[in-house]
């Protein structure tokens, strides 16, 4: 099982623009047959800091997600409003 | 619902020391009546980078967790082996 934390930092003035893009990305990703969990959160201290917590069976499933039509269409539209480079962590279960 | 990501960065030579401390912390925290989720992961690129993903009903429940005997006993023992300051993010559900 692969757990992922992906973090985006969006310019304050663009939060209203990315909101429907994020909602569509979450909705369509949850329909992917291999998606085990795909939840989006915001930092209580920074409304432009968006945090995905994702669960996939393995790396191949994550790669398939990144190749979907919705990912390839929506992520560049979101990324156009980043105020700094996003980060991601691929994680193994420890306990 | 409050989601938390808490990250620790442990010195490589101390991973064997903190492992049973983390396991005890996870086991005892999951028994707390208000704990909705408490999972610990490691970064695939950095075995000293430990990531908690926590779910609590609210901030008061998190504060109760931080005041438990197990938290107050185990966390300082773990923190003695940090290689850099830990971080945490308190998050709201977005989607």
């Amino acid at each position: 099982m692969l757990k992922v934390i992906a973090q985006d930092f969006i310019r304050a003035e663009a939060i209203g623009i990315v909101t429907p893009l994020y909602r569509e990305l979450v909705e369509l990703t949850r329909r992917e047959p291999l998606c085990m969990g795909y939840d989006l959160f915001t930092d209580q201290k920074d409304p432009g800091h968006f945090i995905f917590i994702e669960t996939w069976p393995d790396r191949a499933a994550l790669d398939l997600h990144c190749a979907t039509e919705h990912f390839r269409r929506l992520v560049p539209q979101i990324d156009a409003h980043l105020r700094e480079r996003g980060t991601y962590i691929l994680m193994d279960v420890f306990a």
Side-chain angles (χ1 to χ4, degrees), chain A:
Chain A
M1 198 265 278
L2 172 65
K3 203 88 176 178
V4 179
I5 293 173
Q7 302 184 65
D8 284 347
F9 302 89
I10 300 291
R11 289 194 295 271
E13 66 274 19
I15 292 173
I17 300 169
V18 299
T19 289
L21 302 171
Y22 275 132
R23 293 201 190 282
E24 185 179 358
L25 181 61
V26 169
E27 185 184 332
L28 295 177
T29 299
R30 285 180 179 155
R31 292 186 202 166
E32 292 179 38
L34 295 177
C35 178
M36 299 169 67
Y38 196 78
D39 297 302
L40 181 56
F41 302 91
T42 50
D43 185 339
Q44 290 184 345
K45 290 188 177 167
D46 176 358
H49 180 191
F50 289 83
I51 304 104
F52 288 95
I53 299 180
E54 312 178 15
T55 311
W56 302 95
D58 53 31
R59 178 61 193 256
L62 175 62
D63 291 344
L64 274 177
H65 162 62
C66 297
T68 57
E69 183 278 336
H70 50 273
F71 186 98
R72 294 175 63 160
R73 174 171 51 85
L74 294 164
V75 170
Q77 292 182 58
I78 293 165
D79 285 357
H81 303 284
L82 295 182
R83 64 175 200 242
E84 59 186 90
R85 196 187 183 89
T87 68
Y88 65 93
I89 314 170
L90 305 188
M91 305 180 296
D92 295 314
V93 175
F94 185 81

